[in-house]
Amino acid sequence: MLSVKDAMSKNLEKSVDASNLFQRAKLDEAAAERAGYSDYSYWGSTLRVFSKNRVAMVMLIVLVLLLIFTVIQPYLPGQRNPNTVNNHPATGIQLSNQSPSFSAELLKVPEGTELTVKEYDDAWYEASNVVGSINKRTDFTCLEYGDTWCRVEYDGQEGYVQTSWLKLPDEIPEGPFTVKSNYKISLYASAADITNKGDPVYVEKKDVKLLDEATGLAVTTGETSVCSLPSETGFWFGTNNIGQDLWARVWAGTRTSLLIGVIVAMVEAVVGIFVGVVWGYVRKLDRVMTEIYNILDNIPSTIVLILISYIMKPGLSTLVFAMCLTGWLGMARFIRNQIVIIRDRDYNLASRCLGTGTFRIILKNLLPYLVSVITLRMALAIPGAIGSEVFVTYIGLGLPADMPSLGNLINEGRKLITSPSLRYQLIFPAIVLSIITIAFYIIGNAFADAADPKNHV
Amino acid sequence: MLRYILRRLVGATITLVIVLSIVFVLLRQMPIEGYFENYDKLSPAVINARLESLGLNDPIAVQLKDFFASLLRGDLGTSARYRVGAPIGSIIAQKAPVSILLGLLSMALAMTLGIPLGAAMARSKGKFWDKFGTLFIVIINAVPSAVYYILIQMYATDLLKIPMLFERGNPVTWILPVFSMSLGNTAYYAMWLRRYMLDEMNKDYVKLARAKGVSTRKITMRHVFRNAFVPMIQYLPTSILYTVGGSIYIESLYSVPGMGGLLVDVIGRQDNPMVQAIVMLYCVIGVVGLLLGDLLMGVVDPRIKFAKKEGAR
Amino acid sequence: MGDVILSVKDLNLKFDLRGRVLHAIRGVSLDLYKGESLAIVGESGSGKSVFTKCFMGLNDLNGHIDSGEILYDGKDLAKITQEKDWLPIRGGEIAMVMQDPMTSLNPLKTIGAQIEEAILLHQKIDRHGAHAQMLSVLKDVGIDEPERRARQYPHEFSGGMRQRVVIAIAVACRPKILICDEPTTALDVTIQAQILSLIKELRDRLGLTCVYITHDLGVVANVADRIAVMYAGDIVEIGLCEEIFYDPRHPYTWALLSSLPQLGVRGQPLFSIKGTPPNLYTEIRGDAFAPRNPYALEIDFVERPPYFDVSPTHKARTWLLDPRAPKIDPPVNIRAIRAKGSANP
């Protein structure tokens, strides 16, 4: 009638033969309990749900790496000081508004390019391929015509000049002809302006062979990088208008902004939780505190921010103070609402009936329930504080410029948006700031979702 | 209903008086330079005379009384640095219309974009619109508004080939300020509407409606959407404050001759009386917004008329 | 017995929950007869609600019918995938009364509007006619001053009154089958009887077939012609009311009845079923109740029992009814009620 044998053969732990099947089985109470057993653990499930959220995991990794990097960045080799004004080593002029580049390399020149070099340091020559200059309105001979470069002879010296500077006849004759220029122009050793309009450039000593010590004439021994600085690394994020390294400033700014964010989040949490718990748990205070809250809540938080920053001396502590002044209110209200909801749940009533003290009930019964929501608020307070800092800086009440923060970097960058070539000064801090704020936001929300037991099925 | 309105009105007035007093007292802590056009060049006697005439040497309680007295007369004082000697009331009257118009336009735009977005997100949970909307909400909520305001100004003006600055007579230049200002509220409406609609969808009355044979589409339109809208109304005040906060940025970014830009301007010039007047005006907007939210709630939700509303939201 | 109005054959329903599969209904078969009143009893999570929701396509989207048929009026309801095919059935053919009247009504619509909505959906009738019909339905469910009450909102009604409104919505379109999902659980004891007799009266008057879902055996005894006992997504025993109460055969039914405080013996501790219901995420082998069953046979852990007929109307899924099984005496209090049953049949 039934494939009892089949079923049996699959049954490994209960090896009973067919004749015994209709015997009474013993009731195993442990097994009875186990029938509906689920291996549930709160934090285990929280972690499991969180780790299933791929976006949040990626953001977490990005954020952790970014935080680690932000902290160790000043100790890495080859980093510049965020407040040092970088001057050109030769001319002493500020290296202002340098475009971002990974290396200081300007261009590569082929083997056999003639350069005039000067000693700079152990590894580098200061180089130029300018072999001479031709005064304005001077006649000289064009040996070979080209659209961008002409090979010319002047004062017994052969070299190249840029065609655009020349005053050419209407028709270009075959063979050598005489030309002149209205400007003072440079005569180059090769058909390339490697010196960037005459600014000194740098080549590594190992790449060139010195031909003549006296004149400094040298020739490249292979493909050679010509650099704007006697260093391989350039300004990765460029420089600002007074020649400060934006890379260093962005990371210093990130440190400042994160510091503000973390302090504000901590203060908000501590004050907010304390006030919220008292407010929610002590019934006599509820009425008074709710009225006070209603009044304070009516003042727009941006206005408080402005007001405090305006009244007090600008600086880090003022900013933090102003932000904390508004932030804790929301936190306290939130905690109070949660506590009012949980306070009268039966398990707390049961605790009270057993004679548990108020403080212990708060600590053991109420706060753990709130851990996830508190973490969420804190995670969101950090991007919030960073945003407020940007706002306050924007209206001119922020940190002084020698204390770089993402807010004042963005504010400095904002002033340059009319010239497209300088927009990188806004874009870089904006990108770093966006990554941080989005990461905190997503991680905070994902964690709150994961910590909600409703999502643990 | 009338009693409900009256109670709210009285509550709002009391709140307003307290808030204004706090702001007033706080602003008295400012350095007194902010009351003078050229403080450095004045002799102590002149300074003292002016302080006396402004009543700044009186005890704080007297100052407060005078302040409310002149406020009732509609006198907001005179500008100290921004436009020396000009009555602040008339400066604000001149600047306010643009701001109000911009704010209303942006809130209208936010509603026309945010509400359909939120409804679409709730209806297609986990699908395209939900994901798109979530991405939008995350970006708008997480990234400080200054950053995307600036980016929009920077790239959109290039892209659309429109002037970077606001001109009152040129409608094209209204587009970006209104659009930027609406973004925060759009995300806000969409986020809350989605959440409340999903909440409502899980309620028993929706199950009953389903069991009645009402189609999902009709349930969404007739039951869920309308019911989700009621708690949305409590966000009206917040969204007014959002708009006000946004206008401070936007107006100065686009050089809009409005209140927000004016505030940034007078802060830069440390014109104390002007700062005071504008800050207080914003507080009034905040309180009035809250009041409006409460009253609207009473209109929409039949339960309100009976239930005694708890003090705070 | 009358004609079969709805017939369920070997129904399997599974839920997908975050990558895990919950097997909520495990091969249930059931015939529902026209005009009868069937009570489905079982503890929470046994699948009573989910089972009946299948008749109306009301389960959540992550639940899908894996196999089986639900035959109604010549159609197989298990095959319906489009919402529009469900709409005429919901409310029109099969209606439902939910557990909690406090939350089952839309708080922002007048109750009149909520009843009219159902009427307008299922009957070709204009607004005026719908209004008149709504008023008569309200009177039918025992609400005085229907004109005035129809204009009120749900929060102006008491719990019992709201349940009357919910019932009015359910019967407004003259459905054939009425599913009452724990209709009295959320109500005061004093109101419970009123609501039950209202449903009974409407059933007689309108010729409804009723399905009660409940875990309250007191309710069952009052209203049911037949009883189906559900455990872990399966009907383990089904029979006429007297058969189940006075001659139960499945050890789970014994345990369930023994848990009634009324059946306790004074001075003895109250009976309770040991252990917990099985976790339906894991595949169940053999009899689902076996691990908690003090009368379990070895075979219960190996092979799922088939139905054994006790009488033409009474069958149970337990190996104890197999001729090969040893004779086992039911617990003492079950024997007591059995004796009582045979004393006054």
Side-chain angles (χ1 to χ4, degrees):
Chain A
M1 139 185 167
L2 286 161
S3 56
V4 172
K5 284 239 167 72
D6 266 13
M8 259 202 52
S9 60
K10 285 180 222 143
N11 191 353
L12 294 176
E13 72 262 280
K14 278 199 179 282
S15 52
V16 274
D17 58 72
S19 60
N20 287 339
L21 273 175
F22 283 91
Q23 278 183 354
R24 291 282 297 268
K26 240 179 66 202
L27 176 70
D28 178 355
E29 287 197 16
E33 283 298 336
R34 218 165 31 235
Y37 172 78
S38 82
D39 51 350
Y40 179 79
S41 98
Y42 175 76
W43 288 108
S45 298
T46 302
L47 275 180
R48 185 172 54 81
V49 174
F50 183 83
S51 63
K52 270 197 189 151
N53 187 335
R54 264 175 298 155
V55 178
M57 281 307 277
V58 170
M59 281 296 172
L60 184 65
I61 294 168
V62 168
L63 187 65
V64 167
L65 291 180
L66 201 112
L67 291 184
I68 293 174
F69 184 79
T70 309
V71 174
I72 63 171
Q73 182 266 343
Y75 308 105
L76 296 176
Q79 301 297 326
R80 301 182 175 94
N81 182 301
N83 286 325
T84 305
V85 175
N86 291 289
N87 294 327
H88 194 282
T91 57
I93 296 167
Q94 287 174 357
L95 287 168
S96 60
N97 297 334
Q98 294 273 317
S99 298
S101 61
F102 278 113
S103 76
E105 182 184 286
L106 288 173
L107 73 165
K108 284 206 186 304
V109 294
E111 181 181 347
T113 308
E114 281 186 8
L115 299 166
T116 320
V117 297
K118 257 197 311 202
E119 193 71 18
Y120 180 75
D121 64 13
D122 288 346
W124 294 84
Y125 282 131
E126 193 182 311
S128 159
N129 68 341
V130 180
V131 289
S133 65
I134 306 173
N135 285 332
K136 55 186 171 187
R137 297 191 196 87
T138 312
D139 287 330
F140 53 95
T141 316
C142 175
L143 300 172
E144 202 182 310
Y145 172 81
D147 284 341
T148 48
W149 293 94
C150 289
R151 192 158 66 84
V152 300
E153 200 222 299
Y154 169 70
D155 207 8
Q157 214 175 7
E158 228 178 78
Y160 291 82
V161 294
Q162 273 169 293
T163 308
S164 54
W165 297 111
L166 301 180
K167 216 176 156 202
L168 293 163
D170 292 340
E171 201 160 311
I172 311 292
E174 294 276 326
F177 57 98
T178 306
V179 289
K180 63 178 175 184
S181 165
N182 280 341
Y183 314 96
K184 185 177 175 178
I185 53 174
S186 299
L187 186 64
Y188 295 94
S190 54
D193 177 13
I194 62 171
T195 63
N196 191 15
K197 300 194 187 86
D199 284 349
V201 292
Y202 299 86
V203 291
E204 276 190 272
K205 280 186 174 170
K206 63 179 170 56
D207 291 336
V208 295
K209 200 170 104 196
L210 195 61
L211 298 176
D212 186 348
E213 292 253 6
T215 59
L217 186 65
V219 68
T220 54
T221 55
E223 200 181 43
T224 301
S225 308
V226 177
C227 300
S228 62
L229 292 170
S231 152
E232 287 281 344
T233 50
F235 297 104
W236 289 3
F237 284 1
T239 59
N240 67 6
N241 63 342
I242 56 167
Q244 290 167 322
D245 181 23
L246 214 55
W247 168 262
R249 284 181 77 75
V250 165
W251 295 114
T254 308
R255 278 191 294 279
T256 316
S257 290
L258 279 173
L259 184 73
I260 294 175
V262 171
I263 296 177
V264 171
M266 298 288 239
V267 174
E268 267 183 33
V270 172
V271 178
I273 291 170
F274 180 74
V275 175
V277 165
V278 172
W279 180 4
Y281 211 85
V282 185
R283 278 160 209 262
K284 275 179 221 144
L285 284 176
D286 191 49
R287 181 96 212 135
V288 180
M289 294 191 59
T290 304
E291 288 307 327
I292 294 175
Y293 170 83
N294 278 351
I295 288 163
L296 292 182
D297 190 47
N298 271 292
I299 312 178
S301 60
T302 31
I303 293 301
V304 177
L305 216 57
I306 292 173
L307 212 55
I308 301 298
S309 319
Y310 183 60
I311 292 167
M312 289 166 68
K313 193 160 97 267
L316 194 71
S317 47
T318 302
L319 266 186
V320 170
F321 178 73
M323 288 178 205
C324 292
L325 212 60
T326 54
W328 70 269
L329 201 64
M331 181 72 125
R333 175 75 197 171
F334 184 75
I335 298 285
R336 178 255 174 200
N337 282 346
Q338 294 297 322
I339 289 206
V340 167
I341 293 169
I342 315 167
R343 180 178 65 189
D344 297 326
R345 294 251 169 101
D346 291 346
Y347 65 89
N348 288 315
L349 189 67
S351 274
R352 224 170 306 134
C353 291
L354 292 173
T356 318
T358 303
F359 184 70
R360 199 179 154 78
I361 287 182
I362 291 172
L363 208 66
K364 295 276 176 188
N365 286 6
L366 298 182
L367 279 184
Y369 185 89
L370 298 172
V371 164
S372 71
V373 281
I374 290 170
T375 335
L376 171 69
R377 297 246 0 164
M378 282 180 74
L380 298 190
I382 293 173
I386 294 175
S388 298
E389 196 259 328
V390 176
F391 176 75
V392 174
T393 312
Y394 177 80
I395 54 172
L397 298 169
L399 297 172
D402 61 355
M403 189 169 200
S405 71
L406 289 174
N408 58 29
L409 287 176
I410 284 171
N411 201 35
E412 282 169 24
R414 178 185 67 89
K415 294 170 186 155
L416 303 167
I417 58 170
T418 41
S419 51
S421 65
L422 298 180
R423 285 177 180 176
Y424 64 89
Q425 294 187 28
L426 170 66
I427 299 298
F428 286 117
I431 289 175
V432 173
L433 176 128
S434 304
I435 292 175
I436 293 175
T437 49
I438 291 178
F440 269 112
Y441 187 87
I442 289 181
I443 294 168
N445 276 300
F447 181 80
D449 276 355
D452 185 346
K454 268 183 276 177
N455 293 326
H456 286 184
V457 245
Chain B
M1 192 65 191
L2 203 68
R3 274 196 56 197
Y4 172 75
I5 295 175
L6 229 75
R7 206 169 53 223
R8 291 279 115 190
L9 267 173
V10 171
T13 314
I14 295 170
T15 311
L16 200 59
V17 170
I18 298 174
V19 168
L20 291 188
S21 308
I22 294 173
V23 172
F24 184 84
V25 172
L26 275 178
L27 272 167
R28 288 307 108 150
Q29 314 309 314
M30 277 296 294
I32 50 166
E33 285 95 324
Y35 294 97
F36 300 91
E37 186 191 358
N38 41 8
Y39 180 78
D40 300 339
K41 296 188 194 116
L42 297 176
S43 68
V46 179
I47 290 171
N48 209 39
R50 179 152 163 80
L51 286 180
E52 198 64 49
S53 77
L54 284 171
L56 290 170
N57 287 344
D58 299 339
I60 199 83
V62 178
Q63 288 189 38
L64 205 56
K65 199 194 81 213
D66 290 347
F67 164 72
F68 278 110
S70 57
L71 197 64
L72 285 176
R73 274 183 274 117
D75 178 13
L76 292 169
T78 54
S79 165
R81 290 186 167 185
Y82 173 76
R83 205 181 290 163
V84 185
I88 294 173
S90 68
I91 296 179
I92 288 176
Q94 190 192 342
K95 300 268 183 186
V98 187
S99 292
I100 293 170
L101 192 55
L102 266 182
L104 289 180
L105 279 176
S106 84
M107 283 182 69
L109 183 65
M111 281 178 202
T112 44
L113 294 178
I115 290 169
L117 180 64
M121 286 172 74
R123 283 189 57 182
S124 70
K125 191 171 180 257
K127 301 205 191 87
F128 172 77
W129 279 109
D130 196 18
K131 287 187 174 148
F132 169 83
T134 307
L135 183 73
F136 171 73
I137 289 169
V138 165
I139 290 177
I140 296 297
N141 277 343
V143 178
S145 51
V147 174
Y148 58 79
Y149 287 161
I150 295 168
L151 291 179
I152 288 173
Q153 188 188 27
M154 192 160 106
Y155 289 111
T157 46
D158 277 7
L159 213 66
L160 304 172
K161 305 257 180 313
I162 48 181
M164 229 175 217
L165 298 181
F166 176 87
E167 297 156 37
R168 199 190 277 250
N170 185 354
V172 179
T173 60
W174 287 66
I175 298 174
L176 286 180
V178 169
F179 175 72
S180 309
M181 226 196 264
S182 72
L183 282 175
N185 277 328
T186 306
Y188 203 64
Y189 295 147
M191 179 172 81
W192 287 110
L193 187 61
R194 173 184 180 274
R195 190 169 300 173
Y196 284 125
M197 280 183 69
L198 289 178
D199 277 1
E200 293 295 320
M201 280 178 193
N202 283 326
K203 288 200 174 154
D204 284 349
Y205 74 83
V206 169
K207 291 180 191 151
L208 186 81
R210 272 219 306 157
K212 274 199 292 200
V214 188
S215 67
T216 309
R217 214 177 60 85
K218 278 187 192 155
I219 291 178
T220 316
M221 301 312 286
R222 287 192 200 160
H223 293 269
V224 173
F225 185 73
R226 188 173 160 209
N227 289 24
F229 222 82
V230 172
M232 283 287 290
I233 288 172
Q234 63 182 303
Y235 292 101
L236 188 79
T238 321
S239 83
I240 290 177
L241 293 185
Y242 256 41
T243 315
V244 168
S247 74
I248 297 176
Y249 277 114
I250 300 276
E251 291 188 6
S252 79
L253 265 184
Y254 291 89
S255 302
V256 178
M259 301 276 303
L262 183 65
L263 177 61
V264 177
D265 212 351
V266 295
I267 285 174
R269 295 174 199 224
Q270 301 214 322
D271 184 334
N272 285 358
M274 288 285 288
V275 172
Q276 173 184 316
I278 298 175
V279 162
M280 288 185 171
L281 194 71
Y282 280 144
C283 293
V284 174
I285 295 174
V287 176
V288 170
L290 276 176
L291 181 70
L292 216 63
D294 278 350
L295 294 185
L296 263 176
M297 199 80 164
V299 172
V300 178
D301 194 335
R303 288 166 292 188
I304 290 284
K305 291 163 210 162
F306 289 80
K308 200 171 165 234
K309 203 163 170 276
E310 203 203 339
R313 281 156 307 122
Chain C
M1 290 244 180
D3 308 326
V4 172
I5 185 168
L6 181 121
S7 170
V8 182
K9 295 212 167 76
D10 196 26
L11 189 72
N12 278 286
L13 181 83
K14 289 180 177 172
F15 284 98
D16 290 325
L17 288 167
R18 287 165 207 268
R20 296 207 286 169
V21 176
L22 188 140
H23 199 160
I25 301 295
R26 305 183 306 123
V28 173
S29 300
L30 175 75
D31 283 337
L32 196 60
Y33 298 98
K34 198 166 167 41
E36 75 162 333
S37 136
L38 171 81
I40 302 179
V41 297
E43 54 199 295
S44 329
S46 59
K48 326 179 280 276
S49 271
V50 168
F51 177 57
T52 49
K53 279 182 181 168
C54 290
F55 308 163
M56 299 174 75
L58 285 179
N59 279 310
D60 292 341
L61 289 173
N62 59 351
H64 56 92
I65 292 180
D66 204 46
S67 64
E69 296 179 335
I70 305 169
L71 297 173
Y72 173 80
D73 198 17
K75 283 184 297 233
D76 182 1
L77 301 185
K79 298 279 182 298
I80 297 182
T81 52
Q82 296 295 311
E83 191 190 33
K84 68 172 170 33
D85 297 330
W86 276 118
L87 297 182
I89 294 170
R90 294 178 187 159
E93 303 285 332
I94 305 175
M96 189 174 241
V97 174
M98 309 237 185
Q99 177 175 352
D100 189 355
M102 304 311 276
T103 56
S104 324
L105 293 169
N106 186 339
L108 298 188
K109 281 180 181 265
T110 60
I111 60 130
Q114 299 190 47
I115 299 172
E116 277 173 29
E117 185 181 25
I119 295 171
L120 286 169
L121 277 168
H122 294 286
Q123 292 176 12
K124 291 198 171 37
I125 201 169
D126 63 352
R127 234 160 229 296
H128 199 71
H131 186 74
Q133 192 172 332
M134 177 268 290
L135 292 179
S136 86
V137 171
L138 273 183
K139 208 180 288 162
D140 281 351
V141 296
I143 289 177
D144 300 332
E145 296 182 76
E147 276 285 1
R148 186 176 64 84
R149 298 296 258 171
R151 280 195 303 272
Q152 291 184 330
Y153 289 93
H155 68 263
E156 298 168 63
F157 282 67
S158 68
M161 278 302 175
R162 285 194 216 185
Q163 194 64 313
R164 284 173 191 270
V165 173
V166 173
I167 293 169
I169 290 175
V171 300
C173 303
R174 301 285 178 264
K176 307 279 185 306
I177 302 176
L178 182 68
I179 297 170
C180 305
D181 189 348
E182 315 228 4
T184 56
T185 312
L187 299 175
D188 286 348
V189 187
T190 47
I191 312 288
Q192 285 186 4
Q194 291 177 17
I195 293 295
L196 286 178
S197 63
L198 172 67
I199 297 176
K200 235 171 163 176
E201 180 207 322
L202 287 169
R203 179 186 145 216
D204 293 343
R205 188 135 54 92
L206 307 174
L208 295 169
T209 306
C210 277
V211 178
Y212 291 90
I213 300 166
T214 182
H215 52 244
D216 185 343
L217 292 168
V219 170
V220 173
N222 258 315
V223 297
D225 303 331
R226 278 203 306 155
I227 296 174
V229 181
M230 270 190 101
Y231 182 75
D234 189 16
I235 293 181
V236 293
E237 185 165 7
I238 184 166
L240 298 176
C241 196
E242 309 80 56
E243 288 170 332
I244 299 294
F245 271 115
Y246 297 117
D247 186 20
R249 295 304 179 99
H250 196 284
Y252 178 66
T253 317
W254 293 346
L256 202 63
L257 291 174
S258 306
S259 318
L260 280 175
Q262 296 93 311
L263 293 187
V265 180
R266 188 177 293 269
Q268 297 286 312
L270 285 172
F271 177 85
S272 70
I273 307 178
K274 298 264 182 319
T276 53
N279 183 348
L280 294 176
Y281 283 113
T282 50
E283 202 50 51
I284 291 167
R285 187 146 38 119
D287 185 352
F289 188 55
R292 303 169 72 187
N293 183 2
Y295 306 99
L297 304 177
E298 292 290 352
I299 193 172
D300 278 327
F301 292 94
V302 182
E303 187 64 45
R304 189 171 175 188
Y307 282 114
F308 291 93
D309 287 338
V310 180
S311 78
T313 51
H314 184 190
K315 56 186 180 173
R317 246 185 210 269
T318 170
W319 282 116
L320 293 181
L321 294 174
D322 190 282
R324 286 167 289 175
K327 179 119 183 64
I328 286 173
D329 285 330
V332 59
N333 46 5
I334 298 294
R335 267 178 310 192
I337 52 170
R338 196 183 269 180
K340 227 161 88 190
S342 53
N344 46 358

